[in-house]
Each structure stands twice: as structure tokens, then as C-alpha cells.
Amino acid sequence: MKKSKFTSAVILALLGLSALHAETKITATPTGKGTPKYVFVFVGDGMSYPQIQSAAYYTGKDAAGIVDVVKKSEDPSDSPEMKALSFYNFPVAGSASTYDATSFAPDSASTATSIFTGYKTHSSSINVDITKKIKYRTIAEQLRDQKKWKIGVISTVNLNHATPAATYAHQASRKSNYPIGLELVESNFDYFAGGALMEPQDKNKDKTSIYDLAKDAGYKVCFDQKSAASLKNGDKALVIAETLADSDSMSYDNDRKKGEWALRDYVRKGIEVLDNKKGFFMMVEGGKVDWACHANDARSSIADTLALSEAVEEAIAFYNRHPKETLILVTADHETGGLTIGYAGTDYNLFFRTLDSQKISYAKFDSDYVSAYKKNSVSFETVMADVEKLFGLKLPGSNGLDESDKNGGLVLTDYELGRIKTAYEKTISGDKSRNQMEYDLYGTYEPLTITITHVLNAKSGLGWTSNSHTGLPVPVFALGAGQEEFKGFYDNTEIYNKMAKLTKVVKD
């Protein structure tokens, strides 16, 4: 298959790819000329190169019309094929370092501060200096005040979580949920959409609800899709997803029910609400990529990375109508989990089809199944029947197969079954203490759940080094007016500086 004429040598160098294909077509030639007055910034929280590549490989395993790089008919692993994500065809790609003022493995608060203000700060601080006294203004605030642009903030996690908060809040601690909610209302931004607010009435529930304050400030507060769908251009809106999952966030995309809005639906509605002649800025966060990677759930990480890629398609469609006035950036704040594409137990082989057997996110398994196991002391045999149904992992000897089935098969070895049983016993006991070995194995997650995903990931050929963030650089993909600014390798603070230069805002 021929390489897209819009795929640059920069992307090929960064990703080691020869030819790419994506379903979304960039129909307007991306010359990079013009001045942006419509800016989209997509942030895959926790999404570095391993996350986007695992998603591309997973999707490519059974996609039609993709590049077949190598064919090995005798190799039982998936053929090394891939399907490009929507932003792989962007003409410019760069990389950004992510360290903050206190760590080479930073958090979302400090890295988002760098992206949106151009300054370094402490981990866990949002848009304040290292003394935690000086407040930094964000690119969104500057565009609102200096250019009179409309502003949209969308996230799959809580709207006062670190990354969305970094567009409008200024707090020494990212955990100041109620004060951050107050700043959300005070921002007077035009469109918020995503997960529910954390502590909307403060910890003691003794203060006026942020939702009521938003209504008083002129926001249309929507808690269902019907209300959200009725929003019109020019409305000022605070939209909370109708279906809420773990910690009142949006559903993982692999748990999303038929008819439930995906991230791209909130982006499409946001464009409709914000579109105007002066300009708009929209930040879109795929926040649950990070949450899945903290829990070492590769299948859920892949699903939400693909959901972000699909959301980018909405911005591409807008770009096609306004190519000289639109800039789209796709980047990340940091990497999470130390994801590796390659695992010692499978040598050089990868088996992405194995992940098809996972039908549920780790979080939904915890809430819908594990909580009942603990409450009712459910037997290991009953649990394993659910594990086979939901994750595809079969007991040794199932269907006449034994542990010699190592070519991406789903039959457990005695060792793997032993690991799951030990984790089951720890979970059923309700003991939340961790010795050093248990912390290495489980982190702070439910032992049974994370062990199941670890075993499935290992059979796929994927591995993890951490339940926390890492210091990997992150990609920066660019399409549209001013795209050439984002070539090369630079610090994440330069993302702000480049946006400010292109939009001609003054750093204040």
C-alpha cells in the first residue's frame, strides 16, 4: 500500500514505520500556512509511545487494507501488521521531555502546568510556582481575555481532576477539589464536559454545590445525554456524563454501552457549541488511559487510546473546513506504567489477538464481581468460571490443551494458575496490607484483578514495570496553521511557548 502523501519523514523516524493508513482522511492539504484561531489540544494522560503503538498494533491485527510489513506463515504470533491512529497522518511530529521541578517521573498536575503555562512546578501543584504563592496564567485564560476566544474543556475523568483543572485553576495541591471547582465556575469558560466533579460540596458537604453555583453563573448544567444533545451554539454549558463509572468518571471505552456517548461525541458537541468567528480553544483529555495503565490493564489502555484517536477525527473534520485557521495538537503529559511491547516469556512474539478475550475493564470487574466475591466468600472454582468468561483464561487441561500451549493461547500453566489462586486468597481475606513482594506484585490494586490482567498481558507479549508514572518523553503530533513549530525534540514547556507565539498572546 502506498504511503499517505501527508505522512512526514519525522513520523517515520520517530515511530519506525514505513507506510501508514488511517480511516480519517485529511482532505485539505496541510501546508502549515495561516494563523490559528481554532486550537485543539488533545492530551492522552499517561500516553507515550508504548500506549499509542500497542493500540495501533492491536487494531491492525484484524484490520482490512493495512500494511503487511512482514509475513511469516510459520510464526504462530500475530503477523506484524498495524493500523495507523488518526493522528499518525499528521505532517509534523516531535517529542517532548516531561520532567518537572521535583521529579523525572512527574505527575499530571505539574506536567499539565508546563503544557498550559510554560513553567515548571512541583508535582501535585497546579499553575503555581515552586513557592506555591505565585499563580501562573494559562494559555486558555490568556486566549479568553486577550483574544476573546471561547474555551472548551473535555475529559473522560473528573472535570476538577489535575489535567482539566490545569486549564483554569491555580492551587498548591491538586487535591483541593472544592476550591478547584470554584475556579471552574469563576473561569467563565464556555463548555465543560466529562466526569462528575469531585467533592462538589467540599469534604464535609457543608458548602453550596458547585453545580448550583454554575447554574447561578449562567451555565446550563446537564446530567444526561438528552440535555447535552439539546445544547446549541453559544450556550454556556457544564455537561456531566450520564453514565458514570469508577470514581464518577466516564466509562472505559471497552465498558461503554450501546448508545452511551463516547469521547468523540462530547468533542463534536463542543465544536457545535463553541464555533464562532473570533476563535476557540479546546482541550480534550483521554484521562483513563492513565488510570488503566496505573492498574496495568493493557486492553483498557488500548480501548481508551483508540477512543482518543477517534475523538481527534472530529477535529480533523473541522480542520478540513478551516485549514488555514485550525491547529490540532495531540500529545501527552507523561507515560504511566512502564508499558513494554515485548515480554520475556514470549521471546520476540506478540499475540495481540489474545487481548480480544478481555470483555471488561479492571475497574468494572472490581465493582461488579470482586466486591461480591469478597462479600460472599465465593469459591475459587466459581471465580475461575467468571475469569474464563470475562478474560478468556482457561484452567490447565481445558479443551485437551495443557501448558505447552504457549503460542498466544489462553490455557493457564500451573504456575499462572498458582499466581491467580494466591492473589484470590489475598483478595478474599480482605487484608489490604502489603509486604515488599506483594507490593511489587499488586501495588495498591486488588490482588486478584491485577494478577489476572498481568497474566493475560504476559500471554499477549506485553509487560509493565510500574503502577506509577515514568520519565519517558511523549509525542507531539501537529496538523494545521503553524504546524512546523512543533518539529524536533524539546521540553514540554515549549508546547505552551509555541502556542503563545502562534496565537500572539502575551505571557502574563
Side-chain angles (χ1 to χ4, degrees), residues 286-350:
K288 299 192 79 167
V289 176
D290 174 71
W291 291 17
C293 290
H294 275 293
N296 294 173
D297 181 350
R299 179 66 188 91
S300 296
S301 165
I302 286 169
D304 271 61
T305 299
L306 293 174
L308 183 70
S309 173
E310 291 169 0
V312 173
E313 294 179 12
E314 299 295 329
I316 293 173
F318 185 88
Y319 160 83
N320 286 334
R321 300 192 297 272
H322 308 277
K324 292 184 178 180
E325 299 174 313
T326 302
L327 172 65
I328 307 172
L329 302 178
V330 181
T331 187
D333 46 3
H334 53 73
E335 195 275 343
T336 301
L339 175 61
T340 58
I341 302 175
Y343 180 74
T346 59
D347 295 320
Y348 296 104
N349 294 322
L350 293 164

Side-chain angles (χ1 to χ4, degrees), residues 197-481:
L197 294 168
M198 298 180 288
E199 299 177 351
Q201 291 180 280
D202 206 9
K203 292 180 175 63
N204 297 323
K205 297 185 179 180
D206 59 354
K207 295 183 179 179
T208 304
S209 169
I210 299 297
Y211 298 121
D212 290 336
L213 293 173
K215 290 177 183 177
D216 292 342
Y219 282 94
K220 291 186 175 181
V221 181
C222 305
F223 292 99
D224 58 75
Q225 290 177 193
K226 183 178 180 181
S227 299
S230 68
L231 291 171
K232 297 179 176 59
N233 180 260
D235 285 341
K236 190 167 73 166
L238 171 57
V239 180
I240 303 301
E242 180 174 341
T243 303
L244 296 174
D246 49 321
S247 301
D248 286 339
S249 61
M250 287 172 55
S251 299
Y252 282 96
D253 208 66
N254 54 338
D255 293 331
R256 186 167 51 84
K257 298 176 182 177
K258 184 178 180 180
E260 182 179 346
W261 275 17
L263 182 59
R264 73 179 304 162
D265 296 303
Y266 292 99
V267 173
R268 185 187 305 119
K269 175 55 67 172
I271 292 171
E272 180 184 342
V273 169
L274 296 174
D275 196 7
N276 71 98
K277 292 183 179 180
K278 287 187 177 180
F280 66 74
F281 174 91
M282 181 186 290
M283 193 288 294
V284 183
E285 183 200 22
K288 299 192 79 167
V289 176
D290 174 71
W291 291 17
C293 290
H294 275 293
N296 294 173
D297 181 350
R299 179 66 188 91
S300 296
S301 165
I302 286 169
D304 271 61
T305 299
L306 293 174
L308 183 70
S309 173
E310 291 169 0
V312 173
E313 294 179 12
E314 299 295 329
I316 293 173
F318 185 88
Y319 160 83
N320 286 334
R321 300 192 297 272
H322 308 277
K324 292 184 178 180
E325 299 174 313
T326 302
L327 172 65
I328 307 172
L329 302 178
V330 181
T331 187
D333 46 3
H334 53 73
E335 195 275 343
T336 301
L339 175 61
T340 58
I341 302 175
Y343 180 74
T346 59
D347 295 320
Y348 296 104
N349 294 322
L350 293 164
F351 306 98
F352 280 90
R353 287 185 179 88
T354 301
L355 295 174
D356 281 340
S357 60
Q358 183 174 335
K359 308 301 182 185
I360 191 171
S361 72
Y362 80 93
K364 193 167 180 62
F365 182 65
D366 274 352
S367 63
D368 291 7
Y369 290 85
V370 176
S371 58
Y373 298 158
K374 294 164 72 174
K375 181 179 180 181
N376 301 312
S377 298
V378 173
S379 71
F380 184 63
E381 290 73 21
T382 301
V383 169
M384 286 308 299
D386 287 338
V387 169
E388 180 172 350
K389 178 180 69 175
L390 298 170
F391 297 90
L393 298 171
K394 305 174 188 295
L395 293 169
S398 298
N399 300 326
L401 298 173
D402 59 25
E403 65 181 60
S404 64
D405 175 37
K406 296 178 181 178
N407 294 323
L410 291 161
V411 176
L412 295 165
T413 65
D414 289 336
Y415 166 69
E416 292 164 340
L417 181 63
R419 284 184 59 191
I420 294 174
K421 188 169 185 180
T422 298
Y424 156 83
E425 291 168 350
K426 182 74 173 179
T427 285
I428 291 295
S429 73
D431 181 7
K432 294 186 178 181
S433 66
R434 300 281 192 275
N435 59 36
Q436 184 176 355
M437 181 186 73
E438 289 171 335
Y439 189 79
D440 284 347
L441 290 171
Y442 313 135
T444 58
Y445 289 87
E446 196 63 72
L448 175 61
T449 307
I450 198 168
T451 301
I452 290 168
T453 57
H454 277 167
V455 169
L456 181 63
N457 293 340
K459 284 183 173 295
S460 315
L462 298 175
W464 302 88
T465 65
S466 175
N467 296 115
S468 302
H469 301 170
T470 71
L472 284 179
V474 295
V476 185
F477 296 90
L479 167 68

Side-chain angles (χ1 to χ4, degrees), residues 82-138:
M82 63 161 283
K83 181 180 179 183
L85 306 187
S86 62
F87 43 86
Y88 277 16
N89 279 338
F90 282 18
V92 170
S95 288
S97 56
T98 62
Y99 68 93
D100 67 15
T102 57
S103 179
F104 286 119
D107 82 330
S108 298
S110 62
T111 50
T113 293
S114 293
I115 291 170
F116 297 125
T117 72
Y119 291 104
K120 299 286 187 185
T121 191
H122 287 281
S123 291
S124 296
S125 290
I126 299 175
N127 298 332
V128 293
D129 75 330
I130 57 174
T131 71
K132 302 184 180 181
K133 295 179 181 179
I134 299 173
K135 297 179 179 180
Y136 296 139
R137 302 265 291 166
T138 74

Side-chain angles (χ1 to χ4, degrees), residues 65-86:
I66 62 174
V67 176
D68 187 359
V69 184
V70 179
K71 281 286 188 183
K72 294 183 179 179
S73 58
E74 73 281 4
D75 189 344
S77 66
D78 292 340
S79 298
E81 302 173 340
M82 63 161 283
K83 181 180 179 183
L85 306 187
S86 62

Side-chain angles (χ1 to χ4, degrees), residues 6 26-33 89-91 319 323 479-480 483-484:
F6 303 128
I26 300 172
T27 57
T29 303
T31 63
K33 296 180 180 179
N89 279 338
F90 282 18
Y319 160 83
L479 167 68
Q483 63 195 24
E484 300 301 318

